[in-house]
Amino acid sequence: MRNRFIFSVLILAILFSGTKLFADDEKDFSQEETVLEKSSEEKNLLLFSDAGWQNYFTAATEIVVTNLVVYNFCTLILDQSWKKINLSIMWKNLTSPWLWDTSHFLKNQVAHPYFGNMYFTASRSNGLNFWQSFLMTAAGSFLWENCIEAGNNSLNDFITTTFSGSVVGEILYRLGNEGARINPWLGVLFNPVGALNSILTGRKLGTDESHIYSMSFDLGCGLVGEKISSINSAVDFSRARLALELFFNAAVVYQNPYGHATKEFMDQFSASVGGQISGNGYFLRADFDGEFFSVPVYLNQNAETNFGASLNYDGFYGDSGFLSLNSIGAFFKQKINFGENFFAYGGECDFVFFGVTDSSYVDSKKIVDPWDSTYTFGPGLRLYAEYSSPVAGDFYLGGQCEYLASYGNTPGGKSLSGNFFILNLDAGYRHKIYRNLGLGISAEYLKKIRTDVGTGHFGRDFFTASLFVEYGF
C-alpha cells in the first residue's frame, strides 16, 4: 500500500512539473487578444476554439491527474478494495466486453457526470473547443473504466460520463469564467480544474464582459404533497403524505435565448438547481439545457424568434424516486415586446436517448422499492408561455412530458425493464417589491406512471406550492 502511494505521488509530481514546463513555452496572455480577434474573424467557431491557442498536453495531463487523485482517494482514504487495479485487471478490462453497472443512482448519474465535467473543463480551459473537449472527456472516461477502476468496464457509466459530463462541463466552464470576472473564488467554485490550470499556466480565468441574460435566487416555504399507488392483479397499495416544506431555487440564463446566433456549441444555455425539503422527505432537481445550434429570425423590430437544436441533461432525485434524462431536441422560441411589457412562448420536441429512472414496484409485503434503475429512451415534449409587465408582474406556465421505453434487461440478470409516462407541470407568479427583490408564488405537479406492472399500473403524484422571496437581475 505504501509503495503504491509513493508511486502515485511521484507520477503526480512528474505530471504537474511537465504541465508547468510545457506552459512556460507558450505565448504570453498579452499576445493572445490579437490572435483571438483574428481567430473569430477567420475561423468557423463551430469547429474551432475561440481561445486562439490549444494545449492538448496540459489537458491530457490534468485528466490523468484527476483520475489518479480520485483513485488514491478511493483506495487510501475510503479503502475501497474493489478499486485496486493491476496490470492483469487492466488487460482483462481492455479485452473483455463492456458490461452494465448497477450502482446506485447518485453514483452513476451524479458522481459520473461531475467527474466527466472535470475532464471536459480541463480541456476547455486549455483552449479546446466543445467537440475536442467531448472527445477528451470520452478518453478520460475510457481510461477510468479500463485502467483505473478495477471493477467491470461499464458501458452505461462511459455514456453518462461522456455525454452528461460534456453538457454540465460546458455550462460550468462558462459560469466559471463569469464567476471569476467577479471574484476568483467563484471561478474556483464552478471550474476548479480551470482555476488550477490558471495557476499552473499563468493564463487568465474569466471574461472581460458578462454574457448573463438573467439570474435569480429564490427562497421560500409552502406545502408539499405526494401519493404513491399501485393497482394490479396482485397488489392494491397506496401511500400519501402532506408536509410543510422549505423551497429554494437558483437559475441562470446565459445569453439572449430569443435573439442568439450560435458561434460555438452551447454558447447559449439555461441552468437551474432547486428543490423542496420537508420534515419527512426531500425532492431535489437540476436542469442543464444548452442550445446546440440556433438561428434567430427577426420578423419585425418588436419580435425576436429563434429556431435551433438543443442538448440537455435534466433530472430529479427524491426520497422515493429519481429520474435523469440525456436528450437532444429541436426548439422554437419567440418573444414579442410591447414597450416595457413582453409575451414569450416556445416549444421543444425532444428525444431522450439515455434516461435513467427508478423501476419502482410494490412487492407482496406492500413495500415500495424505488432503488433499482431502468435505462430508457423515448420522445418528449416541452411547452411554455410567459408574460411580464412592470405593473402586473411576471406570469409563467410551463410543462413537459416523456414516454420512455426500456433498453431491456441490460444489467446482469436483473429484470429492470418497464415503460413509463412522466408529466411535469409548473406555474409561477412574481412581482418586484424593491429594486432587485421580488415576491412570488409557484406551484409544481409531477406525475409518473409505470404502465407495465401486471395488469394495472404503478403511479406517483407529487405536488408542491410555495411562497418565496426572489433576488434577481
Side-chain angles (χ1 to χ4, degrees):
M1 176 69 73
R2 183 179 179 184
N3 291 336
R4 183 182 288 116
F5 176 76
I6 294 174
F7 177 72
S8 298
V9 170
L10 288 175
I11 290 177
L12 291 174
I14 293 171
L15 289 173
F16 273 124
S17 62
T19 303
K20 181 65 177 175
L21 289 172
F22 194 90
D24 288 339
D25 294 334
E26 297 172 353
K27 296 178 288 185
D28 60 54
F29 186 78
S30 62
Q31 296 174 329
E32 291 170 10
E33 293 183 0
T34 302
V35 176
L36 174 60
E37 294 175 359
K38 292 181 179 179
S39 174
S40 299
E41 294 174 356
E42 298 173 0
K43 292 184 177 180
N44 177 357
L45 295 182
L46 291 175
L47 302 178
F48 297 92
S49 171
D50 66 353
W53 56 276
Q54 295 175 329
N55 192 332
Y56 286 93
F57 178 81
T58 308
T61 298
E62 290 173 351
I63 289 173
V64 172
V65 168
T66 298
N67 275 335
L68 290 175
V69 169
V70 176
Y71 168 79
N72 279 283
F73 178 81
C74 292
T75 55
L76 300 179
I77 306 301
L78 301 181
D79 194 26
Q80 296 178 339
S81 58
W82 57 271
K83 286 188 179 295
K84 295 176 182 178
I85 195 74
N86 56 52
L87 291 177
S88 62
I89 295 178
M90 290 183 190
W91 178 251
K92 179 182 177 182
N93 286 342
L94 289 168
T95 56
S96 300
W98 288 74
L99 302 177
W100 209 265
D101 182 6
T102 58
S103 297
H104 192 272
F105 180 86
L106 284 179
K107 177 185 174 183
N108 281 357
Q109 307 306 317
V110 178
H112 276 278
Y114 180 76
F115 287 110
N117 142 75
M118 295 185 73
Y119 304 151
F120 189 91
T121 53
S123 304
R124 289 291 276 131
S125 299
N126 281 286
L128 279 64
N129 68 11
F130 179 91
W131 283 116
Q132 294 161 339
S133 301
F134 178 89
L135 293 176
M136 294 291 281
T137 302
S141 181
F142 183 89
L143 177 66
W144 173 265
E145 294 296 332
N146 290 278
C147 301
I148 305 293
E149 186 179 24
N152 62 283
N153 45 350
S154 168
L155 177 60
N156 53 314
D157 288 347
F158 174 78
I159 294 172
T160 299
T161 303
T162 303
F163 282 91
S164 307
S166 296
V167 173
V168 175
E170 181 66 24
I171 290 175
L172 293 186
Y173 165 74
R174 292 180 180 274
L175 290 181
N177 285 336
E178 290 285 341
R181 189 181 62 86
I182 301 171
N183 186 293
W185 287 108
L186 286 176
V188 175
L189 175 65
F190 289 108
N191 184 6
V193 181
L196 175 63
N197 183 68
S198 179
I199 295 173
L200 293 173
T201 64
R203 293 187 183 278
K204 176 183 174 183
L205 180 65
T207 58
D208 293 328
E209 61 177 310
S210 176
H211 299 284
I212 299 296
Y213 182 78
S214 66
M215 184 179 295
S216 63
F217 303 91
D218 302 338
L219 182 64
C221 60
L223 288 174
V224 59
E226 184 177 42
K227 181 180 179 181
I228 301 174
S229 62
S230 176
I231 302 174
N232 57 49
S233 58
V235 179
D236 187 353
F237 169 82
S238 66
R239 185 184 76 187
R241 65 180 180 182
L242 182 67
L244 294 174
E245 50 106 8
L246 174 68
F247 167 81
F248 65 96
N249 191 70
V252 60
V253 178
Y254 185 90
Q255 301 219 81
N256 183 358
Y258 301 98
H260 178 71
T262 305
K263 293 183 179 179
E264 288 189 298
F265 291 112
M266 290 188 63
D267 60 359
Q268 195 286 317
F269 63 81
S270 63
S272 65
V273 177
Q276 297 84 25
I277 300 175
S278 63
N280 60 355
Y282 58 89
F283 181 85
L284 309 174
R285 72 178 308 151
D287 299 295
F288 300 93
D289 303 322
E291 289 189 3
F292 205 59
F293 183 76
S294 62
V295 179
V297 178
Y298 296 98
L299 302 177
N300 58 63
Q301 62 180 2
N302 296 323
E304 299 173 282
T305 307
N306 210 9
F307 297 87
S310 64
L311 184 62
N312 317 303
Y313 181 61
D314 308 316
F316 65 78
Y317 180 78
D319 60 295
S320 61
F322 52 79
L323 172 73
S324 69
L325 303 171
N326 290 275
S327 65
I328 56 175
F331 65 81
F332 161 80
K333 305 174 186 176
Q334 186 173 72
K335 180 181 179 183
I336 304 173
N337 299 292
F338 307 94
E340 295 184 344
N341 308 327
F342 73 80
F343 174 72
Y345 65 100
E348 180 173 327
C349 294
D350 288 331
F351 178 75
V352 178
F353 60 87
F354 201 72
V356 182
T357 183
D358 58 289
S359 54
S360 299
Y361 63 91
V362 180
D363 64 16
S364 59
K365 297 180 180 179
K366 298 186 177 182
I367 298 174
V368 175
D369 181 3
W371 302 121
D372 282 333
S373 298
T374 297
Y375 289 82
T376 59
F377 66 94
L381 177 66
R382 310 185 193 202
L383 299 170
Y384 78 93
E386 182 179 4
Y387 174 76
S388 177
S389 167
V391 177
D394 302 330
F395 299 83
Y396 177 84
L397 179 65
Q400 68 180 82
C401 62
E402 292 87 20
Y403 185 81
L404 304 176
S406 170
Y407 275 111
N409 300 332
T410 42
K414 287 192 175 183
S415 180
L416 301 182
S417 62
N419 298 318
F420 303 87
F421 174 76
I422 300 164
L423 174 66
N424 191 195
L425 303 173
D426 60 303
Y429 169 76
R430 63 182 65 85
H431 200 290
K432 184 182 294 185
I433 55 177
Y434 180 73
R435 293 187 177 179
N436 292 333
L437 286 177
L439 187 65
I441 185 171
S442 67
E444 181 177 6
Y445 174 71
L446 172 67
K447 186 174 186 66
K448 178 184 173 186
I449 301 174
R450 180 176 176 183
T451 61
D452 65 332
V453 181
T455 59
H457 73 275
F458 179 91
R460 176 181 290 112
D461 294 87
F462 178 88
F463 174 79
T464 178
S466 307
L467 182 68
F468 62 87
V469 176
E470 178 176 278
Y471 177 79
F473 56 89

